[in-house]
Amino acid sequence: MEHTSGGFPGEEFQKACEELQQFGRVGNDWQLLMEHEGFKIYRRLDEQTGLYEYKVFGVLDNCPPAVLADVYMDLDYRKQWDQFVKELYEKECNGKTVVYWQVKYPFPMSNRDYVYIRQQRDLDMDGQKIHVVLAQSTCVPQIPERSDVVRVNQYKQSLVIESDGKNGSKVFMYYFDNPGGQIPSWLINWVAKNGVPNFLKDMAKACQNYLKKT
C-alpha cells in the first residue's frame, strides 16, 4: 500500500488478469461481504489500518469491454457522470503522467484528494482481449497538499474487463483506500461497501450514454 514513483511491472497486470480468470474464487482470508445485482463483493481486513480491502466480481450487461475501458479512462467524461468529482485532471510531472482527483465529502467532513498514477494495458489470454487498468497513489512536489483538503496517501485500484460472450463485460475490481482524518473506521468501511457497487452501477449507466454519443 505504499507510494509508487514509476510505472507498474508487467507481473502486476498479469496478476490482475488472473483474478478475472478465477472469477470469484478467492483465498480463505477473504470474506464474502454481499451480493448485489449480480456482483459479489469480498473483503479482507488490513490489520495495519483497521480498514478493509475489497475484491468485486460481476457482469455489466450491455456494456462492451472496449467502451467500458474508454469510459473508465476518460476523465473529462467522468466529470459529467460522477457526482462526487470536485476536480479531476492529468498533469505531466517528472516525465510521467499523474492524475489529480478531488472528491466531495458531506459536511462537516473535508473533501479528500488523490494524486496517483494509472496505466492501461490490453492483454491477450487464449485469444480473448483483456483490458487491465492499474492505479496507485504517488507523491509529486508539483501537486502539494492543500490546507482545506485531506490528502489520501494510501490508494490502490485495479480494474480488469473482458467480454461476457454476449454484449456485456465481465469485471474484476480490487480497491483499497485510506481516507485519513478523524473518520471512524466503521464509517469508512460502510461507505466503501456501498460505494463500490454504486460506482459500478453509475459507470454502467455512463456506458449507455457514451454509446449514444459515439
Side-chain angles (χ1 to χ4, degrees):
M1 314 280 182
E2 301 300 322
H3 287 302
T4 185
S5 58
F8 298 90
E11 310 89 75
E12 289 205 29
F13 288 92
Q14 192 67 33
K15 183 180 175 182
C17 191
E18 288 168 0
E19 291 275 9
L20 184 62
Q21 306 309 305
Q22 295 168 12
F23 205 69
R25 296 194 300 273
V26 298
N28 293 332
D29 51 345
W30 288 87
Q31 170 196 3
L32 178 62
L33 178 63
M34 64 185 292
E35 294 190 49
H36 179 84
E37 296 187 4
F39 276 84
K40 288 187 176 182
I41 302 174
Y42 297 84
R43 70 178 184 179
R44 180 173 68 180
L45 182 66
D46 179 72
E47 294 184 359
Q48 186 177 1
T49 62
L51 302 175
Y52 287 94
E53 51 187 334
Y54 295 88
K55 288 182 177 182
V56 184
F57 300 87
V59 175
L60 291 175
D61 295 324
N62 301 313
C63 294
V67 175
L68 189 59
D70 285 347
V71 166
Y72 184 76
M73 294 297 290
D74 190 333
L75 300 184
D76 287 334
Y77 183 48
R78 182 166 179 176
K79 286 184 275 189
Q80 298 176 36
W81 62 265
D82 188 342
Q83 61 178 319
F84 298 105
V85 170
K86 172 72 174 178
E87 198 173 346
L88 183 61
Y89 61 84
E90 285 185 326
K91 184 180 179 72
E92 290 294 323
C93 300
N94 308 325
K96 64 183 178 181
T97 302
V98 302
V99 177
Y100 176 81
W101 174 34
Q102 186 180 153
V103 180
K104 299 174 188 173
Y105 267 56
F107 181 84
M109 292 185 287
S110 300
N111 286 354
R112 263 57 180 172
D113 68 359
Y114 301 71
V115 177
Y116 64 93
I117 62 167
R118 63 176 186 165
Q119 279 185 284
Q120 178 183 2
R121 284 191 192 176
D122 294 338
L123 305 182
D124 184 289
M125 294 288 287
D126 300 321
Q128 177 88 314
K129 189 174 185 179
I130 315 288
H131 305 270
V132 184
V133 184
L134 303 181
Q136 187 168 333
S137 52
T138 190
C139 184
V140 292
Q142 294 91 333
I143 310 179
E145 296 186 23
R146 304 181 182 183
S147 59
D148 59 337
V149 180
V150 176
R151 176 65 48 87
V152 176
N153 291 313
Q154 289 179 293
Y155 165 71
K156 189 172 184 179
Q157 188 174 42
S158 309
L159 180 68
V160 188
I161 308 163
E162 73 172 348
S163 172
D164 67 347
K166 303 173 187 175
N167 195 39
S169 297
K170 283 175 64 176
V171 175
F172 162 74
M173 177 183 281
Y174 168 88
Y175 188 85
F176 178 83
D177 183 329
N178 183 0
Q182 302 301 311
I183 307 177
S185 59
W186 67 264
L187 179 57
I188 297 169
N189 288 323
W190 182 87
V191 170
K193 181 181 90 169
N194 291 276
V196 171
N198 286 339
F199 170 77
L200 289 167
K201 195 188 304 180
D202 288 346
M203 193 161 66
K205 290 178 185 174
C207 277
Q208 301 307 312
N209 294 327
Y210 199 79
L211 282 166
K212 291 173 187 175
K213 281 176 31 175
T214 54

